[in-house]
Amino acid sequence: MIWLLGFSGVTMSRPLHRGISGGARSPGNIHDSWEDSQMKDKADKEDVDRKTANADSSYLSIRQHFRLLFPDNSSSKQNLIENGFASDPFSPGTLRNRHKFTLFLLRLSLVVIVILALSGSFWWTLAITTSSRGQIYRGYRRLQQELVSDLVDIGKLSIGSNRLKELDYCLPESENYVPCFNVTENLALGMSKGEEYNRHCRPGSRQSCLVQPPVNYKIPLRWPWGRDLIWVANINITAQEVRSSGSLTKRMMMYDEDQISFRSASPGYDDMEDYAHQIAEMIGLRNESNFIQSGVRTMLDIGCGYGNLGAHLFSNELLTMCIANYEASGSQVQLTLERGLPAMIGSFTSKQLPYPSLSFDMIHCAGCGIDWDQKDGILLIEVDRVLRPGGYFVWTSQLASSQQFLHKKENQKEWNFVHGFAKGLCWDMLSQQVDTVVWKKTTKKSCPARSGSGPPLCSRAHDIETPYYRPLQGCVGGTQSQRWISIEERSKWPAKSRLNAKELAPHGLNSDDLAEDSLKWQSAVQNYWSLLSPLIFSDHPKRPGDEDPSPPFNMVRNVLDMNAHFGGFNMALLESKKSAWVMNVIPTTANNHLPLILDRGLVGVLHDWCEAFPTYPRTYDLVHGKGILSLEFVEKHRCEMIDVFTEIDRILRPEVSTLPFSKLPRSNKL
């Protein structure tokens, strides 16, 4: 395991104050000698008058002005001269005296200017220091907390290394083992109607063993080649499952002896580009490249097939999260992740999804197999909860085709229910083409339709912003949230990642908080990549600081951040142009910043790390775990550290790394 884990002073001198010259006489001596020198002074005065008879008349006027500013004070000690007379500083003397006096004035002016400048600089520095004192203190406290956290983590690991525990390898049939999803056991307990596919993390449901990869496992091709070609040996699927797939996106693939390639062509559509173009037109856009300008950045794709829509939209900077039920074979989630696209196991039957309210700009369901008219429309209420105001629900199904209504009354009944219930939710049906319908969610928290036959609004006590696998609610959620801002009013990507003041206000943060977090993670990513270079670019030598080589040499695509905080690690990867996406996980024991992460245009989920993560084995290239050990095992010790490390081992692809700890060649000791 490898843990990656003043003020300047200004000195100024005071100007010298000139005193009485050494030959000056005391006042008593002057009085005593006054009579003796009277005759001599008279002669001297006549001589001086002769020398100054031709003085410039302009000097006299200047002299008078200066006398007004500096009145003559002949009796003062400061004006005494060597012969005992009171000195007039403005009397015309020799050129030498006038030159000295001019220099004195210049020096005095320079000293005054310097003093004023230094005083202004001092008060400006004091004002800046006072205004930023709070930020300096917060930054110091944050650094101090991070240092303590890192030291605790290192201490915990050093203690654990002395207590090695032998772990066996799991049986070969467990190569696709996913804890908490045991359909056979759930059926034995009497579960039915889709409940058997739900997540049930019972005590002892996790195996204490290391999941082995398939015998013929191959390192996936790097992005973007891995998006369109995957190895059959890496996943659990048969040729029959590929050929019998009925989903729109599932049919867009070709099965070969040792590989599966994905294509756009499918019955009913020339290609996926045409399908995305059709959705854009139904919303009122020119094409799919305008989704970002309309406020659409993140999409939840229910029953995504194998991620073809998300793969196509990724080039337009749209981020699509695929969710689907657990499948022991032919899993949509497993294949989508193998292609390097966001996905996770998520059952849409009886529990709320582990996402905050108002999380996605668009929700898509194409042949997803969900009966929306069941359970009194409660599944549509959950769609409404996670959909942002002004967001879109796209439903592609044969039930939406008018030709089907003439043959089956059951289809007519289901369509009528969905259409009427959507109206009760204040959704506006924008368009219907062929078998695709697009609704737009209202931007108003309350509307007249809800006071009639529509479902009621959730009370403040029941409107939990980020539920964690809570039973589905029969009331409309999200209306109590301060994050109720329509997608049209929100910043557009990529400015969306920084959030404006209005968008940050509900999270209790300001732009300086995000900017400080961003600078920290930009530096961290630079350091991480320098350390990882020998590992992820082993077949293409790269010096730290050099640009990443072009694919297929970049081996990091699927990234999981176990303790995402503000999502700064994800943003630093994007800003440094890494071709990776990040599953931002907020632990249930940490401060819940998941709404902030999703508002920034990223994807993430709430999760308890004492339980298994809802994904298949070997689905992530890099796992980032800064601060997770101190959070889970020091502050709130609820489970064993070895359970978390075996889970990390399960979800990591072979021969790849974790940060700040790294997975080296396989060992059965932890």
Side-chain angles (χ1 to χ4, degrees), residues 17-301:
H17 295 282
R18 298 179 182 273
I20 304 173
S21 65
R25 298 179 183 179
S26 66
N29 292 334
I30 297 173
H31 179 73
D32 293 340
S33 61
W34 175 264
E35 293 180 357
D36 297 338
S37 61
Q38 188 174 5
M39 296 301 295
K40 183 178 178 180
D41 290 344
K42 184 176 180 181
D44 292 341
K45 184 176 181 182
E46 291 176 356
D47 184 63
V48 169
D49 289 341
R50 284 194 303 269
K51 290 180 181 180
T52 58
N54 297 325
D56 191 358
S57 61
S58 61
Y59 169 78
L60 296 176
S61 62
I62 296 175
R63 176 183 174 186
Q64 293 302 323
H65 288 300
F66 273 95
R67 283 185 180 276
L68 292 175
L69 293 174
F70 303 95
D72 187 13
N73 193 2
S74 302
S75 63
S76 66
K77 287 190 291 182
Q78 285 80 0
N79 291 330
L80 293 178
I81 57 174
E82 208 173 36
N83 59 8
F85 281 102
S87 172
D88 183 358
F90 303 103
S91 62
T94 63
L95 180 62
R96 187 178 196 179
N97 292 335
R98 285 192 300 238
H99 179 67
K100 288 182 178 180
F101 179 71
T102 303
L103 288 177
F104 169 76
L105 287 180
L106 290 174
R107 289 172 182 170
L108 181 63
S109 302
L110 181 60
V111 169
V112 171
I113 293 172
V114 169
I115 291 174
L116 290 175
L118 291 176
S119 300
S121 175
F122 171 76
W123 287 112
W124 176 80
T125 303
L126 183 62
I128 292 296
T129 303
T130 303
S131 64
S132 61
R133 186 177 301 164
Q135 296 178 3
I136 294 172
Y137 178 75
R138 288 198 303 271
Y140 170 76
R141 291 291 299 171
R142 186 176 292 110
L143 289 174
Q144 190 179 52
Q145 291 170 359
E146 289 181 1
L147 176 61
V148 172
S149 173
D150 291 343
L151 290 176
V152 170
D153 289 344
I154 293 171
K156 199 72 177 176
L157 284 175
S158 63
I159 294 173
S161 63
N162 295 325
R163 296 185 285 111
L164 294 177
K165 179 178 179 181
E166 293 285 344
L167 287 177
D168 294 328
Y169 291 119
C170 300
L171 297 175
E173 53 265 27
S174 299
E175 63 186 26
N176 293 296
Y177 166 66
V178 181
C180 302
F181 292 93
N182 192 327
V183 178
T184 303
E185 183 178 346
N186 294 340
L187 288 172
L189 293 173
M191 298 182 185
S192 60
K193 297 183 179 179
E195 183 67 21
E196 67 273 19
Y197 296 103
N198 272 347
R199 182 175 178 271
H200 299 281
C201 291
R202 307 179 187 91
S205 61
R206 191 198 305 250
Q207 296 181 13
S208 296
C209 58
L210 301 177
V211 177
Q212 300 184 77
V215 176
N216 298 321
Y217 182 84
K218 297 182 180 180
I219 294 179
L221 297 176
R222 298 304 131 205
W223 183 269
W225 285 274
R227 176 191 58 194
D228 301 321
L229 184 66
I230 63 175
W231 306 115
V232 173
N234 293 5
I235 56 175
N236 187 18
I237 193 171
T238 64
Q240 180 60 31
E241 287 174 325
V242 173
R243 287 191 288 267
S244 62
S245 172
S247 169
L248 167 66
T249 52
K250 280 185 180 180
R251 295 195 302 266
M252 300 179 181
M253 55 193 294
M254 297 180 62
Y255 187 94
D256 202 351
E257 181 179 353
D258 62 345
Q259 63 188 30
I260 298 175
S261 59
F262 296 86
R263 54 191 174 86
S264 299
S266 74
Y269 298 94
D270 293 334
D271 51 30
M272 183 55 68
E273 183 177 358
D274 286 349
Y275 178 59
H277 187 82
Q278 175 190 337
I279 294 174
E281 286 185 334
M282 294 173 73
I283 291 175
L285 306 176
R286 183 175 180 181
N287 53 50
E288 63 270 29
S289 63
N290 299 117
F291 276 130
I292 292 292
Q293 286 72 23
S294 68
V296 177
R297 156 67 179 171
T298 55
M299 177 192 296
L300 182 66
D301 196 356

Side-chain angles (χ1 to χ4, degrees), residues 487-550:
I487 62 173
E488 289 89 354
E489 295 176 354
R490 289 183 177 271
S491 303
K492 307 301 184 289
W493 182 264
K496 183 186 186 78
S497 64
R498 295 184 291 274
L499 301 182
N500 57 39
K502 180 180 179 181
E503 295 163 341
L504 279 172
H507 305 287
L509 300 172
N510 56 50
S511 57
D512 291 340
D513 295 322
L514 287 187
E516 181 182 348
D517 187 68
S518 176
L519 288 175
K520 178 184 74 174
W521 284 112
Q522 286 173 6
S523 175
V525 165
Q526 258 188 336
N527 295 334
Y528 286 168
W529 239 248
S530 295
L531 289 170
L532 282 172
S533 294
L535 295 175
I536 63 177
F537 304 116
S538 57
D539 56 350
H540 188 99
K542 170 183 176 291
R543 294 180 179 178
D546 291 351
E547 291 294 325
D548 294 347
S550 302

